[in-house]
Amino acid sequence: YEDKVHLAVGVSASLTDKIHAGSLVGFLAEKLGGKGGGRPDMAQAAGNDVTNLKTVLSMAKEWVNSRL
C-alpha cells in the first residue's frame, strides 16, 4: 500500500445539506489520481499520487470552508 493513499470522509447529519461526503471524497480522489464516492454522511476513496497528499488535504479545508 505504499503507492496508494486511502481516504475516508465523515460528515455529521446536521451538515449533510451543505457538505456531501461523497462529493468531497470524489473531489479529493480525483486530485490524487483515483476515484471514490459514497453517501452524504460517509464516503471512501483511493488514489495513486501519494506525493500530492499534503496539497490535497489543504484543498479539502478550502472545499469545506467554501460550503459553510
Side-chain angles (χ1 to χ4, degrees):
Y1 293 106
E2 291 180 23
D3 59 342
K4 289 195 181 236
V5 59
H6 297 269
L7 303 171
V9 173
V11 176
S12 65
S14 64
L15 291 175
T16 56
D17 61 326
K18 295 178 182 178
I19 300 170
H20 189 286
S23 296
L24 173 55
V25 86
F27 169 78
L28 299 174
E30 181 180 301
K31 306 296 183 196
L32 294 169
K35 57 185 174 176
R39 303 185 318 253
D41 64 332
M42 179 62 78
Q44 296 179 20
N48 297 318
D49 188 359
V50 177
T51 61
N52 201 22
L53 182 58
K54 187 173 182 177
T55 301
V56 170
L57 291 177
S58 294
M59 294 171 137
K61 185 176 180 179
E62 293 172 18
W63 191 95
V64 169
N65 285 335
S66 73
R67 284 153 178 81
L68 293 177

